[in-house]
Amino acid sequence: MKMRESRVLNRLREGRPVFSLKVNTKDTRVVEMMAMHGVECIWTCAEHVANDWGVIESQILAAKAYDADTVVRVPRGSYSDYIRPLELDAAGIMVPHIMSAEDAQKVAEMTRFYPIGKRPVDGGNADGRYCAIPAAEYNEQANRNRFVIVQIEDPEAVEELDGICEVPGIDMVFFGPGDYSHRLGVSGQLDHPEVCRVRELVARKAREHGIYAGTVAGPATADEYLRMGYQFLNLGSDVAAMLQYMTGIREFLDRHR
């Protein structure tokens, strides 16, 4: 028996872009709706969102029903915080606020099996098909079919970007313009010259080091970022879509009051 292959990794390795949508709500029906409409990857969050692991497990199952991957942004913590979504059969994890190459190396050691890292082994969960995959095969398949993303969101990380990109076991650097603009003191100015410079730099350095680059985008900017060298783009979120819809509803209501 084999581990479920990652749709994200298969597309990236074929040279095709990947698009994701982010989920802030806990309703698995939202995940199912996204997946059934062809979204390749659903991004759910345990860093900023009060999701428990039961919610995340249900979201992963809803995505898999339509062969969509789930990437879980984890809270910074111990190895248990990092590997739990992988054992629930998320296709990848996203680790926020990586500050240095040493920081990235510690993440890789905790999330990759030997010979890349030192991740503890338990094949009795969904990713290991509940012990149906022999241990050695499970370790090899997990290293090959699961991805680790580190977020570049701080000036300290930019200073060590080459070293971060060189860490074995790190598949993707993901530029977070929101937090980066905040650290610059220009919060929310995603087109600030320094934000734009680092956005281009992350894509270029990832390409130079043979790994993937991701960031947030939208239909208006996605083509530009693809030309820049990004291969993984998050196009929006459930709450942003609901806000847009409810803003229109409120405008309608205000006109009729």
Side-chain angles (χ1 to χ4, degrees):
M1 189 171 288
K2 292 184 178 180
M3 175 179 288
R4 176 185 175 272
E5 292 187 0
S6 165
R7 188 172 172 188
V8 167
L9 285 176
N10 285 343
R11 286 183 62 88
L12 291 174
R13 288 164 180 168
E14 292 168 358
R16 297 191 289 169
V18 172
F19 302 101
S20 71
L21 288 175
K22 186 172 182 288
V23 177
N24 276 52
T25 60
K26 68 177 184 178
D27 195 332
T28 57
R29 295 179 182 90
V30 174
V31 175
E32 183 180 23
M33 185 182 300
M34 291 175 174
M36 71 186 294
H37 283 283
V39 178
E40 295 115 1
C41 185
I42 313 300
W43 167 5
T44 189
C45 185
E47 180 196 14
H48 292 293
V49 182
N51 279 333
D52 62 41
W53 291 113
V55 167
I56 292 174
E57 181 178 29
S58 296
Q59 291 175 331
I60 293 169
L61 288 168
K64 287 197 301 182
Y66 292 89
D67 194 32
D69 281 6
T70 306
V71 59
V72 180
R73 180 162 62 181
V74 296
R76 293 305 304 260
S78 70
Y79 81 85
S80 295
D81 297 298
Y82 297 163
I83 67 171
R84 188 168 289 120
L86 297 173
E87 292 179 339
L88 291 173
D89 212 18
I93 61 168
M94 181 185 295
V95 184
H97 291 288
I98 291 295
M99 292 295 187
S100 65
E102 181 182 8
D103 194 9
Q105 180 63 49
K106 290 178 181 177
V107 169
E109 287 182 354
M110 287 188 281
T111 56
R112 295 299 194 180
F113 291 120
Y114 177 88
I116 302 172
K118 304 173 183 177
R119 173 181 165 182
V121 179
D122 184 343
N125 297 299
D127 64 330
R129 301 294 178 97
Y130 306 104
C131 296
I133 304 175
E137 295 178 23
Y138 166 63
N139 296 350
E140 187 275 331
Q141 290 179 32
N143 279 346
R144 178 162 41 87
N145 287 308
R146 295 296 177 264
F147 56 89
V148 177
I149 303 173
V150 295
Q151 286 196 270
I152 307 300
E153 305 177 274
D154 304 273
E156 295 90 335
V158 175
E159 293 174 4
E160 294 202 32
L161 189 53
D162 281 299
I164 292 170
C165 291
E166 291 173 351
V167 173
I170 300 301
D171 298 288
M172 184 187 301
V173 283
F174 189 102
F175 177 55
D179 271 323
Y180 195 77
S181 69
H182 171 247
R183 284 294 310 275
L184 295 178
V186 292
S187 188
Q189 297 183 33
L190 306 188
D191 289 329
H192 186 278
E194 178 62 10
V195 176
C196 292
R197 183 189 75 83
V198 174
R199 182 185 290 117
E200 187 280 330
L201 179 67
V202 170
R204 176 162 53 85
K205 289 298 182 181
R207 185 168 60 250
E208 289 176 2
H209 292 282
I211 64 173
Y212 304 111
T215 191
V216 294
T221 56
D223 287 336
E224 175 189 354
Y225 295 169
L226 290 173
R227 289 191 295 270
M228 193 179 292
Y230 282 95
Q231 303 103 325
F232 184 102
L233 296 176
N234 187 77
L235 297 179
S237 68
D238 54 353
V239 291
M242 183 61 73
L243 175 62
Q244 182 179 12
Y245 179 79
M246 291 309 301
T247 299
I249 292 294
R250 177 164 184 168
E251 291 172 353
F252 172 84
L253 294 174
D254 289 343
R255 290 197 304 269
H256 292 80
R257 285 188 173 125

